[in-house]
Amino acid sequence: MALVPCQVLRAAILLSYCSILCNYKAIDMPAHQTYGGSWKFLTFIDLVIQAVFFGICVLTDLSSLLTRGNDSQEQERQLKKLISLRDWMMAVLAFPVGVFVVTMFWSIYIYDRELVYPKLLDNFIPAWLNHGMHTTVLPFVLIEMRTTHHQYPSRSCGLAAVCTFAVGYILWVCWIHHVTGVWVYPLLEHLSPGVKIIFFAAVTVIINIIYLVGEVLNNYIWDTQK
C-alpha cells in the first residue's frame, strides 16, 4: 500500500479507538465504581494498548513525512527510536493481547456468555460498542501487520515480555479478589483453586503461542513480499 493511504487508515483506526474508549468510559456501570474501576478488565486494558499503539503509529508516520528529505542525523535517530517502540508494541502487546482478547471472549461467550459477559451488560453496553471492544480489534491489528513490516525482538526477549504482562495481569486479578472477595470474571467463581492455577497457566501458554503466531505471520507476509 502507498504511504498516504496507510497514514489515513491508521489515523482512522486511532480515532475509532478514541471514540470507543470515550463511549465506554461514559457508561454508568456499577462495575466502574468498584475497586480497580475499568482497569480490572483486560478488554479495557487492551483498548488502551491499541489506542496508544496506533497513536505511536500515527506519530511515526508524521515524523517520517516531516524528516523526509532532511539530512538531520538527530531527527533520523529519533525516528528510529519511534519505529523501534512501534515495532516492540506491535510484537509484545498489540498483537498478542488483542488476538487473545478477541479469541478468548468469543470462545467463552459462545459456550456460555454468563461466564464472561452476562446479559445484564446488554442494558449498559450497546451491541456496536461490544463489537468495537471485542471484534474489530482483530481485523485492525491484522491490517496493520499487512501494511507495515514490524521488526520483532529476539524470541527470548519477546516471550519474556509477554509472560511478564500475562503474569502481571493474573496477579492483578488475584489481588482484586483478595481485596474485594469477588473475581473480576464470573468464570473464575466456578473453578476450584487447583483448576484456577491450571487455567492461569493455560492462559499464559496461550498468549505466548499467539505471540509466536504473530512472529511467524509477520515473517511470512514480508519474506514472501521480498
Side-chain angles (χ1 to χ4, degrees), residues 23-90:
N23 278 277
Y24 179 75
K25 290 298 291 182
I27 296 173
D28 185 20
M29 284 200 307
H32 290 176
Q33 314 304 323
T34 56
Y35 186 82
S38 303
W39 291 98
K40 59 178 168 285
F41 300 113
L42 186 58
T43 292
F44 179 78
I45 295 174
D46 178 49
L47 287 175
V48 174
I49 288 172
Q50 301 299 331
V52 171
F53 168 67
F54 279 99
I56 293 173
C57 288
V58 170
L59 184 59
T60 302
D61 287 338
L62 290 174
S63 299
S64 179
L65 287 174
L66 292 174
T67 57
R68 180 177 293 179
N70 192 325
D71 295 330
S72 172
Q73 292 184 349
E74 178 60 27
Q75 289 183 345
E76 189 69 25
R77 189 157 45 246
Q78 295 301 321
L79 177 59
K80 288 182 179 178
K81 288 181 180 179
L82 264 180
I83 292 173
S84 296
L85 177 59
R86 178 201 67 187
D87 291 351
W88 185 89
M89 277 205 69
M90 174 65 173

Side-chain angles (χ1 to χ4, degrees), residues 2 4 7 21 64 77 89 93 132 147 161 166 196 205 213 215 224:
V4 173
Q7 287 179 321
L21 280 168
S64 179
R77 189 157 45 246
M89 277 205 69
L93 294 174
T147 56
K196 280 189 182 74
V205 170
V213 169
E215 182 184 32
T224 300

Side-chain angles (χ1 to χ4, degrees), residues 18-217:
C18 291
S19 174
I20 290 169
L21 280 168
C22 288
N23 278 277
Y24 179 75
K25 290 298 291 182
I27 296 173
D28 185 20
M29 284 200 307
H32 290 176
Q33 314 304 323
T34 56
Y35 186 82
S38 303
W39 291 98
K40 59 178 168 285
F41 300 113
L42 186 58
T43 292
F44 179 78
I45 295 174
D46 178 49
L47 287 175
V48 174
I49 288 172
Q50 301 299 331
V52 171
F53 168 67
F54 279 99
I56 293 173
C57 288
V58 170
L59 184 59
T60 302
D61 287 338
L62 290 174
S63 299
S64 179
L65 287 174
L66 292 174
T67 57
R68 180 177 293 179
N70 192 325
D71 295 330
S72 172
Q73 292 184 349
E74 178 60 27
Q75 289 183 345
E76 189 69 25
R77 189 157 45 246
Q78 295 301 321
L79 177 59
K80 288 182 179 178
K81 288 181 180 179
L82 264 180
I83 292 173
S84 296
L85 177 59
R86 178 201 67 187
D87 291 351
W88 185 89
M89 277 205 69
M90 174 65 173
V92 173
L93 294 174
F95 185 88
V97 179
V99 174
F100 177 84
V101 166
V102 173
T103 54
M104 287 295 291
F105 175 82
W106 287 112
S107 296
I108 299 174
Y109 185 97
I110 291 171
Y111 173 73
D112 183 357
R113 67 169 294 177
E114 294 298 320
L115 296 176
V116 68
Y117 193 82
K119 289 184 179 180
L120 177 65
L121 292 179
D122 291 340
N123 298 324
F124 300 95
I125 303 176
W128 71 267
L129 186 56
N130 180 29
H131 285 291
M133 297 188 298
H134 298 115
T135 305
T136 58
V137 173
L138 181 57
F140 284 167
V141 78
L142 290 176
I143 288 171
E144 171 61 22
M145 179 172 282
R146 175 62 181 81
T147 56
T148 306
H149 179 220
H150 297 276
Q151 186 67 44
Y152 268 59
S154 65
R155 183 165 292 179
S156 58
C157 289
L159 290 174
V162 172
C163 280
T164 300
F165 175 85
V167 172
Y169 181 70
I170 290 170
L171 292 176
W172 171 230
V173 169
C174 292
W175 174 254
I176 292 172
H177 176 262
H178 172 74
V179 172
T180 65
V182 178
W183 288 104
V184 174
Y185 303 102
L187 168 66
L188 297 173
E189 300 282 359
H190 303 280
L191 304 180
S192 65
V195 175
K196 280 189 182 74
I197 294 175
I198 296 174
F199 176 78
F200 288 143
V203 162
T204 305
V205 170
I206 290 171
I207 199 168
N208 276 273
I209 291 174
I210 293 174
Y211 170 86
L212 295 174
V213 169
E215 182 184 32
V216 171
L217 184 59

